[in-house]
């Protein structure tokens, strides 16, 4: 067997998702070598408070996953570089070809993650991100930049963790013509509403979502509808061909819903959920995120606890619904892994075609 080609990655942001990604990548490392002839190597890990570390030769994923704290291993053996941009540049210089952007979400403008992604694509790195900000605020720009720089920009796990939505539309259901979608896209509000229905108060419910690691670092982004709004923007633009911004979405959160209203609706068989809806009409895409009682026969009623659901209304395939049952960090990590595989496949196809 030929020596596998190194597939060097740098990870910006090393919180819950990145820590779940490393063991998943390690467990699929031999598979990547067998299927695609590549060996995943981590060349850098960077975070805002702990510093930005680049390893000249890198550590293969299997070896790195053996450390209980891979970031601590990097920080105890390497000198940090100055900032995220120096990290990207230095990563590129040691041979990294993919940035995995996993910093915290800033829902108001998607920064500084948006600048990290811009900088990496401009440097010729492919980018995978689970951070909704860059895609929600600048999808058109980033996709144009990636075409210009012959790089790939992938964001599968920004919306429903590992559930293939971008890949579904791009590869599995090409030209299916999606008119509209209805969806429950925010696990935290699903869980919080379910827990309030069961008698918990809002504070307890938020704490439970945080303990599961699913709530945003600032849970008000979930409760005020911003997380769902950014996801809805991404899907409206990706699935319906829209060009909308988060500000163009009508958004209302769940924070001000009286617990009694939530419990009464559930008892009547029409539980309230934070509903994302987007539609394309006469070439114009509009979207909204609002709490709505779900009718009793609605497939979206499957969205209890952290379970997410989406129904797509299409021309060629009628209505298609997908349910992601109680996703955990593993599913988010898998979404990143699936983007990695897409990038590798695409590179292999280009090599075969002599591009
Ligand atoms: N958790 C999920 O289930 C899930 C699902 C889908 C998508 N996402 C998205 O994935 C991303 C990561 O989520 P997470 O749960 O892993 O977050 P997290 O646990 O809060 O970790 C965030 C990481 O980003 C770093 N960071 C924050 N701002 C930074 C900056 N300006 N420059 C460099 N590093 C920075 C933090 O470093 P310090 O600790 O040093 O500040 C930390 O290492 C977020 O955008 C989130 O919205 C999460």
């Amino acid at each position: 067997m030929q020596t596998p080609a190194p597939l060097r990655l740098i990870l910006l942001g090393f919180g819950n998702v990145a820590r779940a990604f490393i063991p998943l990548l390690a467990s699929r490392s031999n598979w990547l070598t067998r299927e695609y002839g590549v060996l995943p190597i981590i060349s850098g890990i960077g975070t805002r408070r702990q510093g930005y570390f680049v390893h000249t030769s890198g550590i293969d994923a299997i070896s790195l996953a053996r450390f209980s704290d891979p970031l601590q291993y990097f920080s105890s053996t390497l000198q940090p570089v100055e900032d995220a941009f120096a990290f990207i540049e230095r990563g590129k210089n040691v041979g990294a070809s993919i940035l995995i952007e996993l910093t915290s979400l800033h829902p108001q403008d998607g920064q500084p993650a948006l600048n990290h992604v811009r900088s990496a694509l401009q440097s010729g790195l492919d980018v995978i991100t689970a951070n909704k900000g860059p895609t929600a605020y600048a999808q058109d720009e980033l996709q144009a930049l990636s075409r210009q720089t012959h790089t790939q920009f992938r964001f599968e796990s920004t919306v429903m963790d590992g559930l293939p939505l971008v890949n579904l539309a791009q590869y599995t259901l090409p030209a299916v013509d999606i008119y509209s979608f209805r969806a429950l896209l925010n696990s935290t509000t699903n869980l919080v509403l379910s827990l309030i229905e069961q008698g918990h108060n809002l504070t307890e419910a938020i704490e439970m979502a945080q303990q599961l690691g699913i709530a945003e670092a600032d849970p008000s982004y979930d409760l005020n509808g911003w997380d769902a709004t950014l996801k809805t923007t991404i899907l409206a633009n990706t699935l319906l061909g829209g060009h909308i911004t988060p500000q163009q979405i009508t958004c209302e959160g769940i924070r001000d819903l009286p617990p009694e209203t939530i419990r009464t609706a559930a008892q009547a068989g029409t539980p309230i959920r934070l509903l994302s809806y987007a539609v394309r009409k006469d070439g114009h895409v509009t979207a909204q995120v609002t709490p709505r009682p779900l009718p009793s026969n609605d497939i979206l009623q499957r969205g209890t606890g952290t379970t997410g659901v989406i129904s797509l209304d299409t021309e060629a395939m009628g209505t298609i619904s997908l349910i992601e049952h109680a996703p955990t960090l593993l599913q988010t990590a898998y979404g990143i892994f699936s983007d990695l595989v897409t990038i590798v496949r695409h590179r292999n196809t280009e090599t075969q075609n002599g591009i």
Side-chain angles (χ1 to χ4, degrees):
M1 195 171 117
Q2 273 188 331
T3 311
L7 178 66
R8 297 185 195 281
L9 321 170
I10 51 173
L11 278 85
L12 190 50
F14 204 73
N16 295 316
V17 175
R19 287 174 194 275
F21 174 68
I22 294 290
L24 181 77
L25 180 64
S27 70
R28 267 79 179 157
S29 177
N30 291 335
W31 181 85
L32 281 168
T33 302
R34 235 181 11 253
E35 292 291 316
Y36 298 109
V38 295
L39 177 71
I41 289 175
I42 312 304
S43 294
I45 299 180
T47 90
R48 176 180 42 188
R49 286 175 296 182
Q50 304 211 48
Y52 304 89
F53 304 94
V54 177
H55 195 290
T56 310
S57 52
I59 316 273
D60 71 88
I62 293 176
S63 303
L64 191 65
R66 292 197 187 109
F67 291 98
S68 59
D69 185 345
L71 173 56
Q72 207 265 332
Y73 171 72
F74 268 57
S75 65
S76 62
T77 52
L78 301 167
Q79 284 300 313
V81 298
E82 194 185 339
D83 59 18
F85 301 98
F87 173 75
I88 292 166
E89 197 185 315
R90 177 107 176 87
K92 164 95 181 161
N93 290 343
V94 300
S97 61
I98 300 178
L99 167 73
I100 304 188
E101 216 291 349
L102 299 173
T103 64
S104 316
L105 172 68
H106 285 260
Q108 295 83 359
D109 58 7
Q111 291 291 15
L114 174 52
N115 282 342
H116 300 155
V117 174
R118 276 189 185 123
S119 166
L121 294 175
Q122 275 157 356
S123 302
L125 296 184
D126 293 334
V127 174
I128 298 168
T129 185
N131 186 326
K132 294 158 273 284
T135 313
Y137 281 96
Q139 182 169 344
D140 284 351
E141 178 211 315
L142 295 172
Q143 286 178 327
L145 179 59
S146 78
R147 281 191 296 275
Q148 218 179 67
T149 55
H150 304 289
T151 51
Q152 298 182 65
F153 173 55
R154 313 277 335 162
F155 48 88
E156 185 68 86
S157 48
T158 52
V159 182
M160 287 180 85
D161 314 299
L163 195 75
L165 291 176
V166 180
N167 286 338
L168 185 81
Q170 192 174 0
Y171 297 112
T172 315
L173 296 172
V176 73
D177 197 4
I178 303 168
Y179 301 129
S180 68
F181 65 82
R182 297 170 70 248
L184 305 184
L185 298 177
N186 181 265
S187 317
T188 303
T189 50
N190 272 2
L191 180 65
V192 164
L193 289 167
S194 304
L195 290 168
I196 292 174
E197 286 163 5
Q198 290 161 28
H200 294 277
N201 65 36
L202 183 65
T203 313
E204 284 164 2
I206 294 168
E207 277 169 16
M208 288 161 94
Q210 283 174 323
Q211 276 159 18
L212 285 175
I214 56 160
E216 283 297 331
D218 178 349
S220 65
Y221 297 156
D222 295 305
L223 302 181
N224 66 16
W226 266 96
D227 172 81
T229 294
L230 297 192
K231 290 174 171 173
T232 305
T233 307
I234 295 170
L235 287 189
N237 293 338
T238 304
L239 303 181
L240 308 184
H243 300 279
I244 61 172
T245 63
Q247 285 82 3
Q248 289 168 296
I249 293 190
T250 308
C251 166
E252 190 188 321
I254 66 155
R255 193 186 276 281
D256 297 330
L257 285 175
E260 269 327 296
T261 307
I262 296 169
R263 289 180 194 130
T264 307
Q267 279 152 15
T270 56
I272 295 173
R273 291 290 179 270
L274 189 62
L275 179 71
S276 292
Y277 174 66
V279 61
R280 192 183 64 240
K281 214 170 171 193
D282 304 326
H284 189 64
V285 173
T286 53
Q288 52 183 266
V289 172
T290 44
R292 285 271 181 273
L294 302 176
S296 53
N297 58 352
D298 193 337
I299 184 91
L300 265 58
Q301 280 218 10
R302 300 294 295 273
T304 53
T306 56
T307 294
V309 192
I310 183 165
S311 268
L312 309 172
D313 228 347
T314 80
E315 184 204 337
M317 283 288 289
T319 302
I320 302 166
S321 300
L322 292 98
I323 302 178
E324 188 180 33
H325 296 268
T328 63
L329 287 166
L330 179 63
Q331 278 83 343
T332 308
Y334 180 77
I336 296 162
F337 177 78
S338 79
D339 277 343
L340 187 69
V341 174
T342 304
I343 287 175
V344 172
R345 277 185 182 148
H346 185 85
R347 287 181 184 179
N348 284 2
T349 308
E350 288 199 327
T351 307
Q352 278 158 17
N353 294 339
I355 298 171

